[in-house]
């Protein structure tokens, strides 16, 4: 069975019928997927990261997104290091395009290593990372070729 191009062209129509929301993302100079999201009604720039288990923002964005931060026992680890202190903020409104989640928990941690890496490539800093928690809740489908994230 060969690749059926008409099926691929119909993907958007099928997902629309299935009540998926379509959200555009950009590819940065660093080959990251950059996406806009709103937390508690405030817009920001995020990296879409299928390898990150949780959606996170940097400590410096607590006020921007009106987050009620509580200390967390969880230590963050990722590309920038391990054992980083985190906080957590629950019951937030998260919106990507027209997709919404009303009771969303967000991890807050030191995002400076991520932004330093981006800036070293002359890429714009981000407010946070959209992780697998969003992708799982939204039954995500990522169309890398056309740069769309679909969430249900």
């Amino acid at each position: 069975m060969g690749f059926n191009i008409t099926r691929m062209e119909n993907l958007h129509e099928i997902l629309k019928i299935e009540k998926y929301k379509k959200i555009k993302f950009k590819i940065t100079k660093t080959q990251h997927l950059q996406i806009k999201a709103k937390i508690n009604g405030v817009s920001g720039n995020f990296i879409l990261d299928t390898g990150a288990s949780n959606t996170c923002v940097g400590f410096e964005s607590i006020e921007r997104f009106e987050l009620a931060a509580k200390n967390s026992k969880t230590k963050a680890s990722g590309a920038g290091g391990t054992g980083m202190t985190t906080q957590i903020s629950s019951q937030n409104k998260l919106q990507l395009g027209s997709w919404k989640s009303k009771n969303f928990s967000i991890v807050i941690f030191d995002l400076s290593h991520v932004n330093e890496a981006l800036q070293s490539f002359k890429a714009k800093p981000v407010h946070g990372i959209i992780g697998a928690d969003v992708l799982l809740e939204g039954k995500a489908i990522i169309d890398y070729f056309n740069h769309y994230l679909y969430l249900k």
Side-chain angles (χ1 to χ4, degrees):
M1 189 171 121
F3 178 71
N4 188 332
I5 196 75
T6 52
R7 235 184 246 155
M8 196 65 194
E9 287 167 1
N10 292 336
L11 177 68
H12 171 65
E13 291 307 313
I14 293 163
L15 293 176
K16 203 172 174 179
I17 292 162
E18 292 292 320
K19 303 275 189 269
Y20 272 85
K21 312 289 187 195
K22 178 175 157 181
I23 305 115
K24 187 81 174 155
F25 62 79
K26 292 178 186 163
I27 308 287
T28 66
K29 293 175 190 169
T30 53
Q31 296 294 302
H32 288 97
L33 311 186
Q34 190 175 347
I35 197 159
K36 288 205 182 303
K38 281 184 182 175
I39 297 174
N40 301 325
V42 181
S43 191
N45 292 318
F46 293 80
I47 288 173
L48 183 60
D49 186 351
T50 60
S53 47
N54 296 97
T55 293
C56 329
V57 300
F59 286 121
E60 68 287 342
S61 296
I62 290 173
E63 285 177 24
R64 177 190 178 93
F65 296 119
E66 298 168 21
L67 301 175
K70 293 186 193 124
N71 287 332
S72 166
K73 290 185 177 80
T74 307
K75 295 283 184 194
S77 62
T82 56
M84 296 178 284
T85 304
T86 66
Q87 292 184 317
I88 191 143
S89 175
S90 52
Q91 296 177 324
N92 296 287
K93 291 186 191 89
L94 178 67
Q95 183 172 349
L96 284 85
S98 59
W99 182 87
K100 293 176 185 157
S101 181
K102 287 191 176 90
N103 188 3
F104 204 82
S105 291
I106 294 166
V107 173
I108 306 158
F109 81 120
D110 183 1
L111 205 63
S112 60
H113 64 283
V114 172
N115 281 323
E116 281 162 19
L118 290 171
Q119 285 170 317
S120 72
F121 289 96
K122 305 218 178 344
K124 288 185 180 137
V126 294
H127 297 103
I129 294 163
I130 300 293
D133 48 0
V134 169
L135 302 175
L136 290 165
E137 184 181 324
K139 299 178 174 69
I141 295 169
I142 303 173
D143 178 352
Y144 288 94
F145 184 76
N146 294 302
H147 301 176
Y148 285 110
L149 168 67
Y150 291 90
L151 296 172
K152 189 169 184 166

